[in-house]
Amino acid sequence: WLAISAANALTSLLFAAAHGLMQGPAQALAIFPVSLLFGLALERTGRLAAPIALHLYFNALLWLSSWLLSGA
């Protein structure tokens, strides 16, 4: 059930590499498993809404944690 397709793995690798070029290798390593999760959500549901919702959720968590850590 949780098997990663070759298309998902390749797309996630390219997505992480693109982030790595812009933001460094640590960001690429952090993005790769998240991208696999987004791809898995798309493959399992067949709907683009699932990875979009996950992306919004992850971005909201990152924003909230950075906001809280900044002392705001």
Side-chain angles (χ1 to χ4, degrees):
W1 189 84
L2 290 177
I4 303 297
S5 71
N8 186 5
L10 180 59
T11 302
S12 294
L13 185 63
L14 293 172
F15 186 69
H19 274 78
L21 290 173
M22 300 296 288
Q23 300 167 336
Q27 184 78 10
L29 287 174
I31 291 286
F32 183 69
V34 176
S35 179
L36 288 173
L37 178 65
F38 294 166
L40 187 63
L42 175 65
E43 290 176 347
R44 295 299 175 244
T45 65
R47 298 183 180 273
L48 195 54
I52 289 173
L54 284 172
H55 196 292
L56 289 170
Y57 174 73
F58 275 97
N59 283 358
L61 286 179
L62 288 171
W63 176 82
L64 181 61
S65 64
S66 67
W67 182 72
L68 290 172
L69 291 173
S70 72

